[in-house]
Amino acid sequence: MKGRALHLVPKPIDAPDTAALGRLAKGDVSALGEVYDRHAAALFRFASRVSGAHDAEDLVQATFMTVVKIAGSYDGRAPDARAWLHGVMARLVQERRRSLARLARALLHFDGGPSPAFEVDRPAHRSDLARGLRSLSDAKRVVLVLAEVEGYTCEEIAGMLDVPVGTVWTRLHHARKDLRAFYDGSAQ
Amino acid sequence: MTTELRRPKKNAACARTWEIEAARDGRLSEPAKASLDAHVVQCAACREEMESLEGLGRALRELEAAGADDVALRRVRQRVLQNADAGLAGRSVPPRKPKRTRVVLPASAFAAALLAGLAWTGWNATRTVSSAPVATPTTTTTTTVDAKGEGETRWSKTTDGETERVDLMDGTLSLRVRKAPNGKRVLVRVPDGEIEDLGTVFHVVVRDGRTERVGVDEGRVTIRLTNAAPITISSGQTWERPIPASPAPVASGTAATPIAPVSSVVRRDVTPARSADRLRPPDAPLRADEEDAAYLRVLQLLRDGRDDEARSAARDYLRRFPDGFRREEMGRIAR
């Protein structure tokens, strides 16, 4: 031990989310309720932004069901699990292909109508910016909301989505570009 | 006040403008960032680009995001825990969404899909119906909902993924639901909450934006209204909104609460054990929380090796929460 510095590593198990997810990984379902109560409201808002209010409920449910399966993979590095939960939801959004939306898109294209991206869940008062956000692809929208609304760094987002940071930069750049183009177009 | 989005002027281009976004996203090294900071002080185009990007971010943050109301949060919580409970116990859980398959639609299926698409895009459409029975659209599950409105009742029905939704804005609506074990959920949305059908025949009355009465002829329904604990009523029971000026005594602390199920439900054929839990005062703690606590107590007793007490606590759980979503697990322990 002589001359060697001791490195104290914080015990992540002390964090409530880490403890709860650890218990969940061992089969304690009540721990899921604790995690849900802490983060569900924030996840609903995120889901509403990236997927629309109409799908938010299903998306939140799917996220927590995924958490049940992968709770053991949470490493407790962050003080709470919100970023990790955002990542789970973000990946679900990208992986999901909503069959009804695809069908409706096909039907509307068949009919020569507009893309339903602007028709789904659109209250009359929704702004151009909101419509522009809805017009982005899932991948771009998720990255943009994580960066600009939730305040994560590109490195953090890359970790959440399990993609290279360069991919995040590219998606973010194109998301902003598309959104500005949409806004410019709709403002004219 | 909302942020106005601004686009940099096209004639004010600068070769370093792209670095503004790069710096914002952490793509620049510290020296490059310091150099850019010094440049921005002198360059109007870059300052404009910086303000534009910041404005875009600010506008996105100001964009209203629909949060979940209390009812939705509780509904999803119950669904999540129920599915998780079933999944962790090793039982097969029916998927919420049907598996996706690549198919070529024949003409008849295409027509059905077109109907579904039209129903979906017309989500907010309101229609007035006569008292004649309404044809039930064909769906991919065996769940069917027949709804009949009285007089000028305003309501609409839509199919949304795995849920049959009926929106009742005003009036009296009678419903007959035939639901397969793995069929779609059936939700009646009312202005102040929702009613989940559990396979039944029932009617709902809404007046002036509030649910006035829910009566069940067959089966069971769960009523979840704003600022009130959810309750489940079954065949022969009717829930009614109490009259505020009623001289009849109600449970303590209910005077300022808009919904008082304990005094408003007319019981006709209810066993005492079940009604004791279902018909509760509105200021009582959430049922889900109590159910969690009862479940945790059983687990703790098991962990402590106090099997007899755990068995007794499991029986207590079943008595208090006959419809609880851990009833099967508790049933196994109680044996």
Side-chain angles (χ1 to χ4, degrees):
Chain A
M1 295 291 290
K2 197 174 178 181
R4 296 181 71 182
L6 287 175
H7 296 281
L8 296 177
V9 179
K11 289 168 68 180
I13 196 72
D14 291 333
D17 284 343
T18 308
L21 288 168
R23 281 164 43 217
L24 178 62
K26 291 175 184 165
D28 181 356
V29 179
S30 66
L32 182 63
E34 293 174 25
V35 178
Y36 180 92
D37 291 343
R38 275 196 286 273
H39 302 293
L43 289 175
F44 257 100
R45 285 192 294 275
F46 179 61
S48 174
R49 281 194 167 97
V50 297
S51 189
H54 210 75
D55 285 330
E57 204 171 304
D58 281 349
L59 189 52
V60 170
Q61 180 178 340
T63 299
F64 280 101
M65 294 318 299
T66 304
V67 165
V68 173
K69 294 178 196 159
I70 63 170
S73 69
Y74 181 63
D75 57 11
R77 215 176 299 165
D80 72 36
R82 184 160 301 175
W84 183 72
L85 292 167
H86 272 133
V88 173
M89 181 176 280
R91 270 175 283 176
L92 277 177
V93 170
Q94 293 186 52
E95 289 162 9
R96 248 171 92 165
R97 295 289 179 269
R98 291 182 290 275
S99 55
L100 192 57
R102 279 193 307 168
L103 177 60
R105 191 176 296 123
L107 289 170
L108 288 167
H109 281 169
F110 179 78
D111 193 38
S115 164
F118 305 114
E119 303 299 325
V120 179
D121 185 35
R122 187 183 62 174
H125 61 273
R126 184 159 282 192
S127 68
D128 288 340
L129 182 63
R131 286 195 294 124
L133 190 62
R134 303 284 316 139
S135 75
L136 299 178
S137 69
D138 285 340
K140 290 177 194 170
R141 187 167 57 249
V142 161
V143 166
L144 186 66
V145 172
L146 284 172
E148 296 289 5
V149 179
E150 303 296 339
Y152 293 111
T153 65
C154 291
E155 285 77 11
E156 287 171 328
I157 296 168
M160 287 178 188
L161 303 179
D162 199 21
V163 296
V165 70
T167 304
V168 176
W169 289 336
T170 305
R171 287 179 188 172
L172 201 46
H173 170 72
H174 285 289
R176 291 186 184 116
K177 191 177 164 190
D178 292 355
L179 197 53
R180 285 165 144 185
F182 181 90
Y183 188 81
D184 284 352
S186 64
Q188 285 166 5
Chain B
M1 178 167 174
T2 54
T3 301
E4 185 184 351
L5 290 180
R6 289 195 300 167
R7 189 94 164 119
K9 292 187 183 77
K10 295 207 167 46
N11 58 1
C14 167
R16 298 188 67 178
T17 303
W18 68 270
E19 292 180 41
I20 301 295
E21 186 178 20
R24 187 176 178 83
D25 294 344
R27 280 188 274 154
L28 293 188
S29 65
E30 280 305 317
K33 196 166 176 303
S35 166
L36 180 66
D37 287 344
H39 168 77
V40 166
V41 175
Q42 308 165 19
C43 178
C46 287
R47 275 201 308 278
E48 199 165 352
E49 171 70 2
M50 185 180 278
E51 285 164 12
S52 172
L53 283 176
E54 284 174 2
L56 180 64
R58 197 162 49 242
L60 285 168
R61 285 189 292 278
E62 287 171 357
L63 202 58
E64 186 185 351
D69 59 28
D70 192 40
V71 172
L73 277 170
R74 274 153 49 186
R75 178 176 57 237
V76 176
R77 186 185 200 276
Q78 177 159 350
R79 220 186 294 151
V80 163
L81 293 183
Q82 190 169 10
N83 287 349
D85 203 22
L88 288 174
R91 297 189 294 274
S92 62
V93 186
R96 176 146 170 72
K97 297 281 182 191
K99 282 190 175 178
R100 297 186 299 273
T101 51
R102 188 180 292 275
V103 294
V104 178
L105 290 176
S108 58
F110 187 81
L114 184 60
L115 276 176
L118 289 173
W120 174 56
T121 52
W123 167 250
N124 288 318
T126 300
R127 55 185 168 147
T128 303
V129 297
S130 69
S131 58
V134 175
T136 304
T138 304
T139 64
T140 54
T141 72
T142 53
T143 296
T144 56
V145 181
D146 293 326
K148 189 171 77 173
E150 288 181 11
E152 295 300 306
T153 295
R154 290 187 298 125
W155 64 281
S156 64
K157 181 154 74 79
T158 51
T159 299
D160 175 30
E162 286 302 287
T163 305
E164 293 274 0
R165 295 181 200 267
V166 176
D167 284 280
L168 173 57
M169 276 63 79
D170 192 65
T172 301
L173 192 65
S174 299
L175 298 106
R176 176 180 291 273
V177 179
R178 288 182 290 276
K179 190 155 72 173
N182 293 335
K184 295 186 175 186
R185 296 175 69 216
V186 178
L187 281 178
V188 179
R189 299 204 298 196
V190 287
D192 52 350
E194 67 178 22
I195 296 147
E196 177 155 12
D197 169 83
L198 304 172
T200 190
V201 178
F202 65 110
H203 67 271
V204 185
V205 180
V206 170
R207 293 272 181 269
D208 302 324
R210 298 191 314 176
T211 305
E212 294 293 336
R213 188 171 71 243
V214 180
V216 178
D217 298 321
E218 294 173 21
R220 292 178 298 142
V221 300
T222 296
I223 306 167
R224 304 186 194 97
L225 299 179
T226 310
N227 298 327
I231 59 168
T232 300
I233 61 173
S234 53
S235 174
Q237 287 187 303
T238 301
W239 174 90
E240 286 184 336
R241 178 178 293 279
I243 301 167
S246 171
V250 295
S252 61
T254 59
T257 311
I259 298 160
V262 73
S263 62
S264 56
V265 173
V266 177
R267 294 186 293 152
R268 287 211 298 266
D269 184 21
V270 190
T271 57
R274 292 168 79 86
S275 63
D277 179 62
R278 285 175 175 165
L279 313 179
R280 52 193 307 107
D283 54 349
L286 289 180
R287 187 174 183 272
D289 294 343
E290 289 184 5
E291 197 178 328
D292 281 350
Y295 172 70
L296 288 173
R297 175 170 160 70
V298 174
L299 290 187
Q300 190 58 52
L301 289 169
L302 282 177
R303 286 190 189 116
D304 294 345
R306 296 153 68 183
D307 292 351
D308 287 343
E309 290 176 68
R311 197 172 298 118
S312 173
R315 286 184 190 131
D316 184 55
Y317 173 99
L318 292 170
R319 183 182 60 75
R320 293 174 62 202
F321 308 105
D323 303 318
F325 50 79
R326 297 175 178 107
R327 60 185 180 276
E328 290 182 30
E329 189 180 346
M330 293 295 103
R332 285 196 297 274
I333 295 169
R335 279 185 216 125

